[in-house]
Amino acid sequence: MRGEVVSEFHLDGQLGLAATRLSCGRRFRERTSQTHSEGAFSILCQIDDLECHSGWLGGQRYRSGRFRAKSVNVVDLREDPQWQFRGRFDALQFYVPADGLALIGAQHGGRTASTLRSEGEAPDEILWGLSQALVHASASPGANQLLTDQIAMALLIHFARAYGGLEAEAAAGYGGLAAWQQRRAREIMTARLASNLTIAQVASECRLTPSHFARAFRQSLGVAPQRYLLQLRVSEAKKHLVQQHLPLSDIALMCGFGDQSHFTRVFRQLAGRTPGAWRRNFQGSDAE
């Protein structure tokens, strides 16, 4: 079995979620040995159809049969789980510490979920969509940490609500950012354009939890934090583009983009044209 870490998300200084892509081409794998009991949950989202997936909890079989793509298997790692697979295996596994799940409940005004359980094997389209978004966001050049953090937060909330019974909070429970919080958020995002800034770091500066900060930021400024950061980077890039001697690749790195192709893609999305076309248009306007 080959495992590739996709993303890790920390919540208030502790691991909140770890996503790993698991794959194996062998048709048959022996039953896994029992692991040490730990206060965490394993959520397995199947990417491809699996011929057979058998599972045991405390030595007792709890499932055996075909496991289709988008199906979900939720296991409490305190129950000494074991697995056995037959067929080509490709899945995304989410490791969620119980403490992180409890923190999500506290932040959203709900009860602490003592465990997570999945009922039946109906595809979880929400989990599938968020999983794909996380994989693509993490793999893109110059991955936007604010974006991957928000996807991970959405995954945790979905796990708590869909499999832990956490009730949705009242929408009116949160307002926007205070004036000083808006100012501080803008200051740190502007000052650290080229760094791997996380939503948790900005939220901490505003004395808020990441989830509360993300909602309040959008309510106050009308856009998500990661979108605002991209807008700042494009605005800064325009200042450098007027300097004709600067290569586009250098401007990309100076403004926090992973490479020139990432820079071009985002710039075109927000400015309506490529950096090169924007620079040529500026030259023409200046000459007039």
Side-chain angles (χ1 to χ4, degrees):
M1 183 75 69
R2 184 171 66 90
E4 178 184 354
V5 176
V6 173
S7 180
E8 289 187 355
F9 172 64
H10 288 79
L11 197 61
D12 286 4
Q14 64 185 36
L15 181 65
L17 178 146
T20 305
R21 180 80 173 263
L22 299 176
S23 59
C24 183
R26 288 192 293 118
R27 187 173 182 278
F28 182 80
R29 284 161 297 280
E30 297 293 336
R31 177 174 169 179
T32 61
S33 58
Q34 286 188 325
T35 59
H36 295 295
S37 176
E38 54 182 310
F41 305 94
S42 169
I43 299 100
L44 196 70
C45 181
Q46 199 67 29
I47 295 174
D48 287 333
D49 289 346
L50 181 63
E51 185 178 335
C52 184
H53 173 202
S54 299
W56 293 262
L57 294 176
Q60 300 296 313
R61 179 176 294 200
Y62 72 95
R63 65 149 294 137
S64 182
R66 189 174 179 82
F67 201 37
R68 296 188 178 277
K70 301 184 183 180
S71 295
V72 180
N73 183 41
V74 181
V75 173
D76 189 331
L77 296 179
R78 291 169 291 197
E79 297 180 345
D80 303 322
Q82 293 175 278
W83 297 276
Q84 189 175 45
F85 306 111
R86 186 171 70 244
R88 181 180 178 276
F89 186 89
D90 192 9
L92 198 61
Q93 182 190 46
F94 297 96
Y95 175 88
V96 180
D99 289 345
L101 190 68
L103 190 55
I104 285 292
Q107 289 182 0
H108 289 259
R111 65 176 179 81
T112 299
S114 59
T115 192
L116 297 179
R117 294 289 185 198
S118 58
E119 300 295 335
E121 296 182 8
D124 186 335
E125 297 292 348
I126 295 177
L127 175 54
W128 177 257
L130 289 172
S131 297
Q132 294 302 299
L134 183 65
V135 169
H136 291 301
S138 300
S140 63
N144 187 329
Q145 191 63 48
L146 286 173
L147 175 60
T148 56
D149 281 357
Q150 287 201 327
I151 297 172
M153 177 67 73
L155 281 162
L156 279 173
I157 295 170
H158 177 64
F159 292 150
R161 290 180 179 174
Y163 303 114
L166 180 68
E167 295 181 358
E169 64 186 358
Y174 292 103
L177 295 174
W180 74 267
Q181 291 172 322
Q182 289 189 45
R183 184 171 60 253
R184 183 56 185 145
R186 286 171 165 168
E187 286 174 350
I188 190 172
M189 294 170 94
T190 301
R192 298 183 56 184
L193 278 178
S195 70
N196 195 23
L197 189 63
T198 69
I199 192 172
Q201 291 169 336
V202 185
S204 177
E205 291 285 336
C206 295
R207 302 176 190 172
L208 296 173
T209 63
S211 57
H212 186 174
F213 169 76
R215 284 191 301 272
F217 189 97
R218 181 186 287 273
Q219 183 168 334
S220 295
L221 282 81
V223 294
Q226 76 274 11
R227 181 77 172 186
Y228 183 80
L229 181 60
L230 289 177
Q231 291 173 347
L232 286 177
R233 286 173 170 165
V234 168
S235 179
E236 182 68 15
K238 289 179 179 179
K239 297 176 184 178
H240 295 297
L241 284 169
V242 301
Q243 303 178 51
Q244 305 300 324
H245 67 283
L246 282 178
L248 296 182
S249 57
D250 289 352
I251 295 175
L253 296 178
M254 291 164 61
C255 296
F257 296 98
D259 55 29
Q260 187 173 331
S261 63
H262 182 219
F263 172 43
T264 299
R265 185 170 64 254
V266 174
F267 192 96
R268 178 189 290 153
Q269 180 185 19
L270 297 184
R273 64 188 70 186
T274 65
W278 191 93
R279 172 179 268 176
R280 288 191 295 273
N281 184 71
F282 177 84
Q283 284 179 297
S285 300
D286 190 53
E288 295 173 2

